[in-house]
Amino acid sequence: MRTPVAPDAPEDLAAVVLGASADGTPILLGDVATIRLGLRKRSAMAMTDASPSMVLLLWREAGSNVLEVTERIKEEVAALQESHFAREGSRSS
């Protein structure tokens, strides 16, 4: 589901209105789905030098500047490398 709503907690998504029934009663996401925080099941695996790798697939929003988005991504990857991955013995390429 894609929504401009940014809840403070995942369970707050249950209150997102999806539509209305014939009598006008709001249909909430929590009425038709179970809301929980978790990882989805792995559907593929990426390897680098025989080690599991993380792959990020990113799309820019319409109207955004490709060069600015690319630079921001590089900055974030560098910050994550320094703050989280390096101490785990991971490296970015």
Side-chain angles (χ1 to χ4, degrees):
M1 181 180 99
R2 203 174 184 141
T3 176
V5 176
D8 292 328
E11 53 273 7
D12 294 342
L13 282 172
V16 172
V17 177
L18 299 177
S21 64
D23 68 357
T25 304
I27 300 171
L28 307 179
L29 181 59
D31 295 336
V32 298
T34 301
I35 311 298
R36 64 182 171 81
L37 183 62
L39 298 174
R40 66 180 182 181
K41 292 181 180 178
R42 181 176 67 207
S43 61
M45 181 177 229
M47 303 290 285
T48 303
D49 297 331
S51 297
S53 298
M54 182 183 338
V55 175
L56 301 175
L57 302 174
L58 307 168
W59 290 266
R60 71 178 184 93
E61 292 183 359
S64 63
N65 182 302
V66 175
L67 296 176
E68 288 177 9
V69 171
T70 301
E71 287 305 311
R72 292 281 316 274
I73 290 168
K74 288 179 180 179
E75 291 169 7
E76 288 298 321
V77 168
L80 286 169
Q81 175 65 26
E82 198 170 301
S83 65
H84 291 81
F85 302 138
R87 67 176 171 226
E88 298 295 328
S90 300
R91 59 185 167 81
S92 64
S93 4

